[in-house]
Amino acid sequence: MIGTKGFQIRHKLFLVFVLSNVLLIVSMWQVFQWSFDRGFVTYATERDRDFLQQMANRTANLFIYYDDWYFLVQESRLEKEWQQAKLENIRDLIPPPSTPNLDLIYPSQYYRQRFLLFDQEKQPLIGDVTFADAETHAVMVDNSLVGYVGLRSMRALVQDQTLRFVRQQGEAFLLISAFMLTIAALLTWPLAQWLSRPICTVRQATKRLAAGDFDTRIKIKGTDELADLGRDFNHLASTLEHMRDARKKWVADTAHELRTPVAILRGEIEAMQDGIIKVSDNSLASLQQEAVHIARLIDDLNQLSMHDMGSLNYCMEEADLNDILEQTVHSMQLPFDEAGLELELVIVKKNPIIITGDDDRLHQLFANLMNNTLKYTNAPGKLTVTLTRENKKAVVLLEDTPPGVSDEDITQIFEQFFRVENSRNRATGGRGLGLAICTNIVDGHQGTISAYHSSFGGLGIRVEFPLN
C-alpha cells in the first residue's frame, strides 16, 4: 500500500488515528483495573472490619462454653477434608461434615473460606495466613485476651477467585475493543484520504505551476487552514501570471521603443550611403539626436533594472525639501519660459521640512515630474508645485493645466512604457519611462506617489515622504 514513495500524509493520519484508539483502549483498561482495585476492594475491606466485631463476640461466647479452641479447630479440619474430597469428585460419597460452632460464627457462607483464628501468641490455629497479613480482631473473655479472629485479605481473595470474574470481564472488554478498533480503522482510512485530498490537490497544482502553467487555480472549499493554503496558492499563481505577462509586455515594449530610433538611424545612414541625403551638419545632427534618444532610453531602462535588482545606490542623509524644490524649480524655469508655461512654487510653511533622502535622486524625481508637465501641457499653461506638512509627512503636490488624463488612464500612468492616447503622447518625445522611474525613486525613500485630476483641469501628482 505504501510502496516506494514512503509514508504519505494519509498513511500518517491513518496511523495517528489507529494508535490514538489503541492508546485510549489501553488507558481505559488501566483505569478500569485501578478503579476496581481502589473502589470495590476498599469497600469490601471496610465491610469486613464491621463484621469482625460480631465474629469476635460470637467466638468469645463459644470459648466461654468450651474453655478452649479445640472444638473450632476440629470442625475446621473436618471441613477442609471434605473440601479436598469435593475436589476429587467424590462429593456424593461423603456427606458434608457437621460444623455447628463455625456456622454460628460466620455472618454468611461468604466468610467460610476466609475465616482465620489465632491464639494469644498470634499463632495460626485455623488458616495458613500469618497474623501480619490478615485483618484481625481481639477475642476478649472477662477482660482477658484469649485469641484473635481474622479474615483473609480481600485482595488475596480477589486474586484467587473474584478476579477470575474480573478477568472474564476484561477479556470481553478487550474483545469488544478489538471489534471497535477494527470499525474505527475502516472508518479512519477514508477519513484520512478525505483530509489529505486538499494537500494532494495543492501538490498537483504546484507541479503544474512549476511547469509554467500560471493559469492553474485551486477550487476553494471551507474556511480552515487548508482552505487558506489554497487561497494563498491562488494568490501566488495570480502574481506569477501577472509577472509573466508584465515581463512579456516589458520585453515587447522595450523592443518596440528601441526599434523606432534604430530604424530611423539606419534609414538615414543608408540614405547617406546611397547619396539621397548629403552628409552635412544637419544630417549628422539628426543622427546624433537619434543616438541620444537611444542612449537615454537605455539609461532609463538601466535605472529601472538596477532598482528592481536592488542595486540602485542611494546616499541617504538629511535633506531639506525646501532647498531641493527651490533649486529644481530654478533650473527648470528657462525651459518653462521657452515653452510658454508658468512655473510656480508654493511653500505653505517657511520652516525647513527635513527628510532622510538622496539629494541627487530627489532632484531627478522632481525634474522628471516637471518635465512631464513641460512635455504634455498646452501653452499657455501653468504648473504649481506646493510643499506642505501633513500628519508627520512631507507632501509635494504638482498640479498642471489641460490636457488632463481620463479616469481609466490615470491608474496606469506610472507603469513602464505607458503613454496616454491623446495629446500627452509620443509626439512630444516621451518614452513612457519617466513616471516609472519616479515611482522607483519614491519607493527608495519609503514614500508614496499617486495621480489625481488637478483642480486646474490637468494632471495632479501627490508625493509623500516620512519626516525625520
Side-chain angles (χ1 to χ4, degrees):
M1 180 177 65
I2 297 177
T4 59
K5 294 184 178 180
F7 282 98
Q8 299 180 3
I9 191 168
R10 62 176 179 270
H11 303 137
K12 295 178 182 179
L13 288 173
F14 176 73
L15 289 178
V16 167
F17 290 141
V18 171
L19 292 176
S20 298
N21 287 326
V22 171
L23 180 61
L24 179 62
I25 291 172
V26 172
S27 300
M28 290 177 61
W29 171 249
Q30 294 296 327
V31 171
F32 172 76
Q33 292 280 27
W34 174 83
S35 177
F36 176 82
D37 182 67
R38 188 175 180 84
F40 175 75
V41 176
T42 301
Y43 162 76
T45 302
E46 293 295 331
R47 187 165 176 264
D48 288 347
R49 291 171 181 170
D50 294 337
F51 282 115
L52 276 174
Q53 176 67 43
Q54 301 178 24
M55 295 170 65
N57 293 335
R58 295 171 184 176
T59 305
N61 292 332
L62 290 174
F63 186 85
I64 294 173
Y65 183 79
Y66 289 101
D67 198 29
D68 60 25
W69 298 119
Y70 177 77
F71 68 98
L72 291 178
V73 174
Q74 182 64 19
E75 289 185 8
S76 178
R77 183 182 61 79
L78 293 174
E79 187 176 56
K80 185 176 181 180
E81 291 175 354
W82 181 81
Q83 289 288 348
Q84 183 65 32
K86 180 181 178 180
L87 294 175
E88 296 174 358
N89 294 325
I90 56 176
R91 178 181 55 183
D92 296 337
L93 303 178
I94 303 177
S98 177
T99 54
N101 295 305
L102 288 175
D103 293 340
L104 289 175
I105 297 174
Y106 302 142
S108 67
Q109 291 298 318
Y110 170 71
Y111 290 90
R112 181 180 293 273
Q113 59 180 325
R114 297 181 59 202
F115 179 72
L116 302 172
L117 181 63
F118 301 89
D119 59 15
Q120 299 94 323
E121 304 299 331
K122 301 181 180 180
Q123 297 300 316
L125 298 176
I126 296 178
D128 54 359
V129 179
T130 62
F131 184 85
D133 296 332
E135 292 286 342
T136 59
H137 195 285
V139 180
M140 307 296 292
V141 176
D142 297 333
N143 295 325
S144 298
L145 178 64
V146 297
Y148 299 87
V149 292
L151 292 171
R152 294 179 61 194
S153 172
M154 183 62 190
R155 298 179 185 276
L157 181 65
V158 168
Q159 292 174 356
D160 292 342
Q161 295 182 10
T162 308
L163 195 59
R164 188 180 307 162
F165 169 76
V166 178
R167 188 182 301 112
Q168 292 174 351
Q169 296 302 311
E171 292 174 353
F173 173 80
L174 292 176
L175 182 62
I176 295 173
S177 299
F179 176 73
M180 296 303 296
L181 182 61
T182 302
I183 294 179
L186 294 176
L187 295 176
T188 296
W189 177 245
L191 177 63
Q193 289 185 313
W194 176 73
L195 289 175
S196 63
R197 188 176 297 118
I199 300 177
C200 295
T201 301
V202 174
R203 177 171 172 265
Q204 294 171 358
T206 303
K207 287 184 176 180
R208 294 196 299 270
L209 191 65
D213 185 5
F214 298 120
D215 297 333
T216 302
R217 296 294 186 273
I218 296 176
K219 187 176 181 180
I220 306 299
K221 294 181 180 180
T223 58
D224 56 8
E225 291 82 354
L226 293 176
D228 292 339
L229 177 62
R231 293 186 186 92
D232 293 340
F233 176 88
N234 289 342
H235 179 69
L236 172 63
S238 178
T239 302
L240 291 176
E241 183 179 19
H242 176 74
M243 292 178 63
R244 179 197 62 184
D245 295 341
R247 179 178 58 83
K248 289 181 178 180
K249 183 177 182 300
W250 188 87
V251 172
D253 290 344
T254 301
H256 174 73
E257 292 297 325
L258 289 174
R259 184 183 299 114
T260 301
V262 169
I264 295 174
L265 189 62
R266 178 182 177 183
E268 291 185 359
I269 292 175
E270 290 178 351
M272 291 180 184
Q273 290 176 336
D274 295 339
I276 300 175
I277 298 177
K278 295 181 178 181
V279 179
S280 63
D281 292 341
N282 291 334
S283 61
L284 292 177
S286 176
L287 295 179
Q288 182 186 19
Q289 182 179 1
E290 293 302 326
V292 169
H293 185 192
I294 295 174
R296 287 177 178 174
L297 178 60
I298 293 174
D299 184 61
D300 289 346
L301 292 172
N302 181 59
Q303 288 194 45
L304 291 173
S305 63
M306 289 177 65
H307 181 274
D308 292 339
M309 293 186 299
S311 57
L312 187 60
N313 295 325
Y314 290 90
C315 182
M316 293 297 191
E317 56 186 4
E318 287 191 352
D320 188 342
L321 281 182
N322 304 55
D323 291 340
I324 293 174
L325 283 173
E326 288 176 354
Q327 294 172 14
T328 308
V329 169
H330 183 268
S331 65
M332 297 295 297
Q333 191 65 60
L334 180 59
F336 269 76
D337 292 341
E338 293 176 349
L341 300 175
E342 181 182 352
L343 179 58
E344 179 185 13
L345 174 62
V346 178
I347 299 179
V348 177
K349 294 183 179 181
K350 296 302 181 180
N351 295 331
I353 297 180
I354 308 300
I355 67 170
T356 300
D358 186 319
D359 285 357
D360 293 336
R361 296 297 179 188
L362 291 173
H363 277 291
Q364 180 184 6
L365 165 67
F366 297 126
N368 281 359
L369 293 176
M370 294 177 192
N371 269 314
N372 186 72
T373 295
L374 187 63
K375 293 174 183 177
Y376 302 130
T377 301
N378 295 335
K382 180 180 180 180
L383 170 64
T384 301
V385 182
T386 305
L387 173 63
T388 186
R389 183 197 309 259
E390 295 181 9
N391 299 324
K392 297 182 179 181
K393 289 184 178 180
V395 179
V396 179
L397 303 178
L398 297 97
E399 299 177 309
D400 60 27
T401 52
V405 179
S406 67
D407 293 337
E408 180 181 356
D409 292 339
I410 203 169
T411 60
Q412 306 179 59
I413 62 174
F414 296 107
E415 295 181 6
Q416 298 175 13
F417 297 113
F418 179 82
R419 286 182 295 274
V420 179
E421 295 301 327
N422 56 18
S423 59
R424 290 179 177 263
N425 59 22
R426 182 184 164 84
T428 58
R431 297 180 297 277
L433 295 176
L435 293 182
I437 294 175
C438 291
T439 301
N440 290 343
I441 295 176
V442 173
D443 289 342
H445 288 77
Q446 288 77 50
T448 60
I449 185 170
S450 58
Y452 61 95
H453 297 292
S454 167
S455 59
F456 302 124
L459 176 68
I461 300 293
R462 180 184 179 95
V463 183
E464 296 182 359
F465 296 108
L467 291 173
N468 280 2

